[in-house]
Amino acid sequence: VRHRLLQLEGLIEATLTAGILVSAALLVAGLGLARESALRLGIVLLMLTPVARVVILTVGLLLRRDWRFGLTSLVVLLILASGL
Amino acid sequence: MLRSDARISPLARSLLRGAPALTAAGLAPASLIQHRGRLVSRRSRSGRTIATILSSVGSRYDHPVPETASVLLICVGAATGLVGSLLGIGGGVLLVPLLTLMLGVPIRAAIAASLISVIASASASSTVNLDRGFVNLRLGMVLEVFTALGGRGGALVASQLTQRQLFVVFGVALLAMGLLTMRRSGRRNVIPDTTLDPGVLGGRLTEGGVEYVYRVKRLPLAFGASLVAGAISGLLGVGGGIVKVPVLNTLCGVPIRIAAATSAFMIGVTAASSVFIYYRLGHVDLRVSAAVALGALPASLLGARLSHRVEARSLKVLMALILLAVGGRMTMQAL
């Protein structure tokens, strides 16, 4: 279990890094240039970043046949999806 | 045009129930006052509740968002993000009062901005914490279920309590946790015997070149704390870490660094489960939210890196002081 999770940690880290970097660039552009569209896109991307990491964790665990934690993560994803 | 109570959204209805509590906590701006047990606009002669204001079309806030300089908002976001990532609490518990009381931001805009800042802080600090191996993914995933459920169903439980009961219970609980955290600040949760099995949800931690083992105790208590954390998250715009971290550390045997990192990993999801509702209702002020999130992002990266260098005992003392301050304020204002 630990080995499988360690493999996924790198992928989750990359997803979070990409999410915050792209969002930050859009927010800086939006504030600096007073562009509402850039601000809105930056905020929405930031809001979706934790959802993306739950999706990756769920898919990654299910693909690795880690049913116990994969299904646990799927429940979290379903609860999140109900609020979208 | 206002919608009838029967047609208002679940969030609006939960805020209608919890709205007086916002006043008691000092989270509601001066323009909102208590009227016949409800939170109403000072300028509204018809006594519109915060729920009906939330659901109204065309008027997003009871008073306009002040034209606060973006630089000031970025600094406020950075300060709360730094403390939030050091302790794994996100910083929302400090940001909402600062935005409403100090900068005059309307409560709904402040809660939405706080949730977005918590997401920024949680995502940024998790990149560092994952790299350092401080995040307990298994424990985080299991507790996330309860936090997300708490976020959905917590408003129903909270609606059964009066504002005084809600805030006295919450305030006293924080005070008790603060005292317990302070008293146990010198106690370690780690076991130096590395041959010991940490169990499915426990783990290993390397500090100063020495490897330790920790086991998770009293799991039902961690589930309960996560439910409560989720419930208060959507109502008050906080990530819930202020409940989870002290319970995990003080009562469940999780080392403070692991508890803070795992909480930071979870609170992004907790905040995300509420923030989309605020966004859909049009309560996200883009400029305020963007500025505080921009401040929180680099400060949280810094906080996560600093947390490795700060002594575990100092982190616990800082957490205890914040618990005592927030708990004391909530209790005093509710009494």
Side-chain angles (χ1 to χ4, degrees):
Chain A
V1 172
R2 284 173 214 287
H3 180 64
R4 286 193 292 259
L5 288 176
L6 276 176
Q7 287 178 327
L8 280 173
E9 281 186 11
L11 197 56
I12 294 167
E13 197 184 321
T15 308
L16 293 177
T17 306
I20 59 174
L21 283 180
V22 176
S23 303
L26 285 164
L27 295 182
V28 168
L31 279 180
L33 305 171
R35 293 281 172 87
E36 192 184 314
S37 55
L39 279 182
R40 190 171 295 281
L41 190 57
I43 294 281
V44 170
L45 267 179
L46 194 57
M47 285 163 39
L48 286 172
T49 300
V51 183
R53 82 101 172 125
V54 178
V55 170
I56 285 172
L57 196 53
T58 306
V59 173
L61 287 169
L62 291 177
L63 284 177
R64 286 166 174 77
R65 298 177 186 278
D66 185 342
W67 305 120
R68 181 165 47 172
F69 286 107
L71 290 175
T72 303
S73 193
L74 182 63
V75 171
V76 176
L77 188 59
L78 291 175
I79 297 169
L80 267 181
S82 71
L84 288 178
Chain B
M1 188 179 83
L2 299 177
R3 301 175 193 176
S4 68
D5 270 8
R7 293 173 59 197
I8 64 175
S9 67
L11 173 74
R13 194 170 290 116
S14 70
L15 279 173
L16 170 63
R17 307 273 192 188
L22 298 176
T23 309
L27 293 177
S31 54
L32 292 180
I33 57 169
Q34 288 280 348
H35 175 67
R36 294 180 184 173
R38 297 184 303 176
L39 194 68
V40 299
S41 168
R42 193 184 287 280
R43 285 175 289 185
S44 170
R45 288 186 182 181
S46 58
R48 292 160 62 190
T49 63
I50 195 167
T52 51
I53 296 168
L54 263 172
S55 305
S56 67
V57 179
S59 155
R60 289 196 305 163
Y61 309 120
D62 68 299
H63 69 273
V65 178
E67 287 296 318
T68 312
S70 295
V71 176
L72 180 59
L73 290 167
I74 288 171
C75 291
V76 170
T80 55
L82 181 69
V83 177
S85 72
L86 263 177
L87 299 173
I89 59 174
V93 75
L94 304 171
L95 185 58
V96 175
L98 279 174
L99 286 177
T100 51
L101 300 176
M102 196 178 88
L103 301 177
V105 175
I107 184 70
R108 285 163 292 137
I111 290 177
S114 170
L115 290 170
I116 289 166
S117 176
V118 166
I119 291 173
S121 176
S123 303
S125 53
S126 290
T127 60
V128 177
N129 292 330
L130 280 166
D131 196 41
R132 293 191 193 279
F134 285 167
V135 179
N136 185 330
L137 276 180
R138 289 152 286 127
L139 181 62
M141 275 189 284
V142 172
L143 296 185
E144 255 174 13
V145 174
F146 290 89
T147 309
L149 282 174
R152 288 264 161 255
L156 293 173
V157 179
S159 69
Q160 302 304 312
L161 301 173
T162 65
Q163 59 154 343
R164 183 166 289 182
Q165 289 168 335
L166 190 66
F167 272 77
V168 166
V169 168
F170 190 54
V172 168
L174 289 185
L175 280 173
M177 285 310 304
L179 290 172
L180 202 59
T181 304
M182 188 68 91
R183 194 175 165 186
R184 295 189 178 183
S185 61
R187 188 168 144 177
R188 304 295 311 271
N189 282 332
V190 289
I191 308 160
D193 181 6
T194 52
T195 59
L196 202 69
D197 180 17
V200 179
L201 294 178
R204 294 172 194 278
L205 165 72
T206 305
E207 266 188 340
V210 182
E211 189 176 289
Y212 298 98
V213 171
Y214 65 91
R215 284 175 158 172
V216 181
K217 300 178 287 188
R218 304 185 187 99
L219 201 55
L221 204 58
F223 293 162
S226 298
L227 268 173
V228 173
I232 64 162
S233 172
L235 269 175
L236 300 182
V238 300
I242 198 159
V243 177
K244 279 181 283 192
V245 176
V247 170
L248 284 176
N249 176 245
T250 314
L251 301 173
C252 300
V254 181
I256 185 76
R257 291 185 210 287
I258 304 292
T262 306
S263 165
F265 187 72
M266 286 189 282
I267 58 179
V269 173
T270 314
S273 66
S274 316
V275 76
F276 287 104
I277 303 169
Y278 280 84
Y279 184 83
R280 207 166 48 215
L281 287 169
H283 301 317
V284 173
D285 184 275
L286 294 176
R287 196 182 63 83
V288 172
S289 302
V292 292
L294 265 182
L297 280 171
S300 302
L301 286 171
L302 179 68
R305 288 188 189 282
L306 280 178
S307 116
H308 186 56
R309 297 182 186 177
V310 181
E311 274 187 28
R313 181 168 188 168
S314 305
L315 290 174
K316 290 180 196 177
V317 170
L318 181 59
M319 171 59 92
L321 291 175
I322 290 177
L323 285 167
L324 290 172
V326 176
R329 176 178 176 146
M330 291 179 87
T331 309
M332 291 300 289
Q333 292 206 15
L335 292 176

